């Protein structure tokens, strides 16, 4: 039934590319627009997107996004969002602020749960409480603990954006966008500039909501197998309470320039990063006109792949081969705004090399547009795009949300919401033009880039004084504000601080919490979802197969046991993994190999996987080479596999040096964005072999190794090459190898003979190494310094070594701890962007972590008091919600390829069906006993646990001064 009295059916269309019937409605009373996508996907999706163009960089849209999820008319509790995180089976639950829009999407496989999520989100968006206290908590406020102390700024978004501005890569990306659009909303920072956030008033904040959070400014998407008629009933219950308005939310077009512009900004760096070192980065950026044609938009996205999409892409290769820098910046096509833009650049350049990089980019593009792009590169890029569109593999991200955002690229700006969802016609048009000999991509380069004067070149250079200067500016601003207050004003700030803290610490009334819709234990399935697996031997190799519907795609994984490698070779492993697919072979250079992969497969890659075994008997450690192809190209896929694992050019010194420089630069530029992972990895490394190896291969230790490796390549290349060759000789072979296939049974049967021939064509290989990896437990507390404005604080221990035996009930206790105590103390009261704890049940390693945290010692104190919180016990309502939340993570939605690989991981780690079912039953029967058992263990963590902090030198020195030098200081950047 497509008719509804409150909605006008504007259009109905079957969209074969996404296997959906699309119905596009307009709400008669308010003008709200609704896209209802009806299909058989059990992972149901709802999302409301609002145009929210900010006028300044105070972060009003971002702060509002946080704040509306802090209580609403129907659900008047402090954190309904967290209650849903705790007690829902959601497969997605979040909200996002973009440059010109704010989106509130949810997803769940459970119908009752889905409707619960939809109702809480609709009430939050249209009827939030957004009190002044919420504004202060999520946005910013003056904090003054007593009338004598200095005021400080606090606020979740304030500190989140301080963290974002601590990342040079993020700063460069933001400045690059802002530079192109000085006269529109894209010329301000919708996330908020920490220097501007304290200019935001509560009155403006409230007005922003009333202007833009309205059905008349809403674009709503439903997707999945739920009842299409009920979707409209749900919306009408909310929309009917509003009258139509004109939100005046359109984003104006930026007027074009007739000449390029130059921008120079600086980022905070340590003194060691300057003085002749290559620490600058640059982008060259072009603003395009608004694109409304689906064919043109698809072609421009493919052009990104052609130019920089792979290490062998011509513009990317030219930049890396130039030696001007160490790696690409976030280069590509940015199409999430009304006027998209291209951006290309390099990081790790000399301060005076910006113009050289600019000239190289323009010269390379000019050459490609005149002389032509290699047809094989174009064929590979088109095939890769087509494969991705047809496979529609969004990983753990729900397909419905991906389609929602794809539609918004047109719909938000008044164009056809369905056009971006259909790709057959635009793809065919592009392929037909190429077949007819048209210079499709050369013309795009000339038209949209080279002949486009609306260009900026943004240079970002390191400034060793910037952090101190910004800190001094903030302190001066606070002191000025405090000095402007009389005694009564200061007392009022102190009183306001105390009142906000009291509100944050106060619990919600039970009757209000009871309003949050939730499932019951009876709604939860008692048994785990099974993944089919068959085990056999094929030519002496263990073969695992998974009969699953994969729409004609074969997913193939080969694993090589890392127990073949001695510890002295392990640090080279990440480089070896990259070298397999990025150095070429003896018969083709890496450009030709990359083209071949793109032309005939859906992709080939390699990665490592490490885990403590479930029984605690050592570490499961594997290198995986993974790929996918349609059934008619499986032979091509196997041929590529053979070439990359047996014949990669490990003697390609120049290419390998480039990869090491890229990895080093990548770690440096992303450090501020992954600081919580870095400190968690570092603290756990002292307690278990698997964690120690992970840190050696991806943490601070590996970063230090990369810096040394650059000198090795320069001064003793034969030793580096010998190490890589030795890894191949020890690792690649039938001995210790496994194969994993995910496809339907017909494809598996057809593949088996080819797979047997592939296996027999490999060398036998070596046995396990007798040298071992050299792990010895060595916990220590450490302060890692970098020039950031916020901290990342971890504290951890091995609970098994402390005598604690984790169960499924432990996961429930940790869920409750994270969504109550940690959320309240670290985020809400502490002002950090995030705080959590996590336990590896196999290894026993446990760690608290915080993210973008203004505190250090205060956060450690919060961790140390967690046991007291758990000892107080948990009410039945919170217990049930936490059980539901943990079951939601156990029953997470997986696409077929992820199911097949997950099943393999279970096998290799010794995690049996019986063990997982026992864990599920322990989760479902969790009680206060589990909470108190964990509390006893956390008492010991408080007394004996180790601390690792990533923060500024000033913050770590202050902590050491106060706590007697308890942190060993290690300089990272």
């Amino acid at each position: 039934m497509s008719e509804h009295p409150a909605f006008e059916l504007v259009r109905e269309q079957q969209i074969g590319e996404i296997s959906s019937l699309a119905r596009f409605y307009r709400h008669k009373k308010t003008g709200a627009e609704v896209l209802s996508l009806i299909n058989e996907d059990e992972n149901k999706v709802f999302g409301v997107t609002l145009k929210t163009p900010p006028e300044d960089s105070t972060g009003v849209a971002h702060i509002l996004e946080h704040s509306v999820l802090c209580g609403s008319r129907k659900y008047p509790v402090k954190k309904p969002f967290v209650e849903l995180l705790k007690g829902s089976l959601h497969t997605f639950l979040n909200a996002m602020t973009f440059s010109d829009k704010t989106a509130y999407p949810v997803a769940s496989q459970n119908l009752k749960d889905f409707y619960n999520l939809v109702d809480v989100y609709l009430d939050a968006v249209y009827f939030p409480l957004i009190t002044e206290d919420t504004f202060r908590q999520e946005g910013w406020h003056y904090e003054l603990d007593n009338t004598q102390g200095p005021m400080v700024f606090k606020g979740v978004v304030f500190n989140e954006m301080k963290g974002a501005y601590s990342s040079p890569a993020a700063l460069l990306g933001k400045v690059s966008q802002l530079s192109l659009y000085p006269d529109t909303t894209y010329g301000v920072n919708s996330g908020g500039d920490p220097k501007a956030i304290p200019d935001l008033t509560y009155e403006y904040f409230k007005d922003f909501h009333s202007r833009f959070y309205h059905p008349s400014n809403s674009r709503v998407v439903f997707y999945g197998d739920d009842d299409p008629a009920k979707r409209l009933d749900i919306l009408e219950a909310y929309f009917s309470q509003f009258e139509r308005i004109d939100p005046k939310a359109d984003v104006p077009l930026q007027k074009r320039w007739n000449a390029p512009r130059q921008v120079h900004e600086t980022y905070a760096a340590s003194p060691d990063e300057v003085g002749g070192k290559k620490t600058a980065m640059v982008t060259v950026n072009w603003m395009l006109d608004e694109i409304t044609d689906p064919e043109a938009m698809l072609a421009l996205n493919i052009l990104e792949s052609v130019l920089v999409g792979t290490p062998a892409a011509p513009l990317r290769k030219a930049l890396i081969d130039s030696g001007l820098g160490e790696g690409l910046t976030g280069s590509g096509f940015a199409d999430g705004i009304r006027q998209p833009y291209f951006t290309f650049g390099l990081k790790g350049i000399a301060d005076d090399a910006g113009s050289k990089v600019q000239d190289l980019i323009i010269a390379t593009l000019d050459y490609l547009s005149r002389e032509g792009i290699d047809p094989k590169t174009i064929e590979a890029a088109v095939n890769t795009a087509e494969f991705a569109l047809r496979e529609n593999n969004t990983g753990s991200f729900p397909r419905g949300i991906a389609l929602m955002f794809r539609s918004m690229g047109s719909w938000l700006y008044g164009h056809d919401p369905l056009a971006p969802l259909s790709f057959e016609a635009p793809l065919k048009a592009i392929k037909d033009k190429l077949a007819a000999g048209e210079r499709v991509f050369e013309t795009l380069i000339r038209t949209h880039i080279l002949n486009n004067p609306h260009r900026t070149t943004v240079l970002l250079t390191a400034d060793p004084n910037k952090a101190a200067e910004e800190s001094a500016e903030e302190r001066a601003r606070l002191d000025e504000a405090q000095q402007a207050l009389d005694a009564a004003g200061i007392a009022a700030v102190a009183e306001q601080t105390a009142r906000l803290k009291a509100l944050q610490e106060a619990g919600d009334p039970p009757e209000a919490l009871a309003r949050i819709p939730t499932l019951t234990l009876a709604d939860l399935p008692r048994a785990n979802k099974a993944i089919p697996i068959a085990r056999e031997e094929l030519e002496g190799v263990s073969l695992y197969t998974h009969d699953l519907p994969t729409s004609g795609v074969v997913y193939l994984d080969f694993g090589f046991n890392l127990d073949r490698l001695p510890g002295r070779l392990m640090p080279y492993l990440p480089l070896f993994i990259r070298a397999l697919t990025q150095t070429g072979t003896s018969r083709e250079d890496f450009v030709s190999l990359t083209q071949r992969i793109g032309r005939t497969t859906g992709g080939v890659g390699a990665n490592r996987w490490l885990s403590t075994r479930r029984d605690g008997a050592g570490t499961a450690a594997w290198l995986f080479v993974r790929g996918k192809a349609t059934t008619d190209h499986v032979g091509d896929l196997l041929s590529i596999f053979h070439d990359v694992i047996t014949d990669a050019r490990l003697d390609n010194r120049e290419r390998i040096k480039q990869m090491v420089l890229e990895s080093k630069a990548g770690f440096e530029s992303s450090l501020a964005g992954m600081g919580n992972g870095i400190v968690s990895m570092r603290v756990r490394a002292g307690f278990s072999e698997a964690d120690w190896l992970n840190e050696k291969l991806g943490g601070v230790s590996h970063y230090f190794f990369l810096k040394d490796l650059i000198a090795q390549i320069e001064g003793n290349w034969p030793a580096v090459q010998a190490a890589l060759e030795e890894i191949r000789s020890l690792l690649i072979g039938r001995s210790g190898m496994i194969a994993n296939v995910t496809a339907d049974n017909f494809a598996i049967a057809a593949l088996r003979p080819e797979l047997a021939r592939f296996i027999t064509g490999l060398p036998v290989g070596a046995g396990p190494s007798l040298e071992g990896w050299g792990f010895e437990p060595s916990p220590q507390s450490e302060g890692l310094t970098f020039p950031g404005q916020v901290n990342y604080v971890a504290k951890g221990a091995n609970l098994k070594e402390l005598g604690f035996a984790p169960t499924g009930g432990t996961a429930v206790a940790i869920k409750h701890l994270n969504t109550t105590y940690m959320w309240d103390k670290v985020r809400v009261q502490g002002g950090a962007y995030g705080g959590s704890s996590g336990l590896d049940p196999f290894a026993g390693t446990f760690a608290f972590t915080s993210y973008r945290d203004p505190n250090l010692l205060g956060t450690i104190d919060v961790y140390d008091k967690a046991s007291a919180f758990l000892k107080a016990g948990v009410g039945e309502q919170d217990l049930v919600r936490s059980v539901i939340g943990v079951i939601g993570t156990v029953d997470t939605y997986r696409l077929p390829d992820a199911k097949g690989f997950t099943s393999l991981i279970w096998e290799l780690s010794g995690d049996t069906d019986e063990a997982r079912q026992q864990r599920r039953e322990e989760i479902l029967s969790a009680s206060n006993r589990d909470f108190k058992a964990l509390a006893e263990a956390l008492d010991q963590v408080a007394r004996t646990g180790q601390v690792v902090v990533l923060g500024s030198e000033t913050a770590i020195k202050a902590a050491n001064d106060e706590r007697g030098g308890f942190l060993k200081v290690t300089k990272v950047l």
Side-chain angles (χ1 to χ4, degrees), residues 54-55 140 142 146 148 153 177 205-206 233 247 251 410 492 503 522 526 530 545 550 653 740 806 813 844 902 923 946:
E55 299 166 324
W140 77 277
Y142 294 122
N146 60 73
Q148 304 305 311
F153 287 127
Q177 177 188 307
F205 165 84
K206 284 277 289 183
D233 291 337
V251 176
S410 174
L503 284 170
R526 304 297 302 187
T545 59
T550 57
R653 175 178 177 175
N740 190 60
T902 297
I923 293 166
Q946 303 301 311

Side-chain angles (χ1 to χ4, degrees), residues 83 86-88 513 516 518 877-885:
E83 295 301 323
K86 184 193 309 178
S88 162
L513 277 172
I516 301 291
T518 186
Q877 187 180 66
D878 274 337
L879 176 63
V880 170
R881 283 184 172 155
S882 296
V883 168
I884 293 167

Side-chain angles (χ1 to χ4, degrees), residues 461-474:
T461 57
D463 181 353
N465 302 313
K466 191 177 182 75
E469 289 172 354
E470 290 185 335
S471 179
E473 286 173 14
E474 182 178 307

Side-chain angles (χ1 to χ4, degrees), residues 13 15 18 20-23 35-39 45 221-226 228 231 400 403-404 407 418 421:
Q13 179 181 328
I15 305 178
I18 59 171
S20 299
L21 174 64
R23 290 177 179 158
L35 177 56
S36 182
L37 297 171
I38 304 159
N39 52 57
V45 163
V221 170
F222 274 97
Y223 166 97
D225 63 0
D226 54 303
R231 296 172 174 180
L403 293 172
M404 179 183 87
S407 178
L418 304 186
L421 306 183

Side-chain angles (χ1 to χ4, degrees), residues 352-375:
D352 60 356
S355 60
K356 295 176 184 176
V357 175
Q358 170 193 279
D359 294 346
L360 175 61
I361 290 170
I362 293 171
T364 303
L365 292 171
D366 180 61
Y367 175 84
L368 292 171
S369 70
R370 286 186 292 101
E371 302 300 323
I373 302 165
D374 186 337

